Amino acid sequence: MKSKFTFLAAAMLSLSAIAQAQNAAWTVNSQDKSLSALVERWAQSEGRHAKWEAAADFPILDAAGLNSAAKLNGATSMTNAVDRLLNTLSTVAVDKDGAPGPKDIGYFACSFSTGKVAVVIRSRGQPACPKSL
């Protein structure tokens, strides 16, 4: 009976570790210097690319703070992580240099399930998302 319990406990820990590793794939790390570089790293983890077509890029000054604010540990996919990231940016007042600025940055993501491009980040006023790239 003890060996069955030990096996079950080990299996549960393994599943938990796998889930945490998958969620960690959609977080910011200390090497991520800008949002465009972060999104590109996420896309490359899927063997794809990202296009940053938005008006400005933003430096990442606090990786841990951004992970926490955007709740990136709970992201279930790259699309979900990008949505969380952009929603967080719309609630935090910073400009492209990290200084206080407007709250509504008006960025949106065009996500694609197939093809070489996983996501395109655009600003309000740019064309709407195409069906595919």
Side-chain angles (χ1 to χ4, degrees):
M1 180 72 159
K2 186 176 180 180
S3 66
K4 285 183 182 180
F5 176 75
T6 303
F7 174 76
L8 181 59
M12 290 175 69
L13 285 173
S14 294
L15 290 175
S16 175
I18 290 169
Q20 287 177 350
Q22 288 172 334
N23 290 347
W26 313 121
T27 58
V28 184
N29 65 45
S30 60
Q31 286 78 38
D32 296 317
K33 301 301 180 200
S34 67
L35 295 182
S36 64
L38 169 64
V39 174
E40 176 63 19
R41 180 176 62 80
W42 286 347
Q44 286 180 359
S45 75
E46 295 186 343
R48 303 171 75 199
H49 292 284
K51 289 187 177 184
W52 191 273
E53 296 178 352
D57 196 358
F58 294 88
I60 296 175
L61 305 175
D62 179 8
L66 187 53
N67 282 326
S68 177
K71 297 179 174 71
L72 292 173
N73 284 327
T76 56
S77 66
M78 186 176 113
T79 298
N80 182 247
V82 169
D83 288 344
R84 288 171 184 241
L85 183 67
L86 295 181
N87 287 337
T88 299
L89 290 177
S90 292
T91 63
V92 177
V94 295
D95 70 8
K96 66 183 172 91
D97 298 315
K103 280 191 176 187
D104 181 10
I105 62 168
Y107 285 13
F108 62 97
C110 303
S111 297
F112 305 97
S113 57
T114 61
K116 292 181 180 182
V117 176
V119 65
V120 176
I121 307 297
R122 292 185 171 165
S123 305
R124 184 181 300 118
Q126 290 181 307
C129 298
K131 299 229 186 266
S132 64
L133 276 183

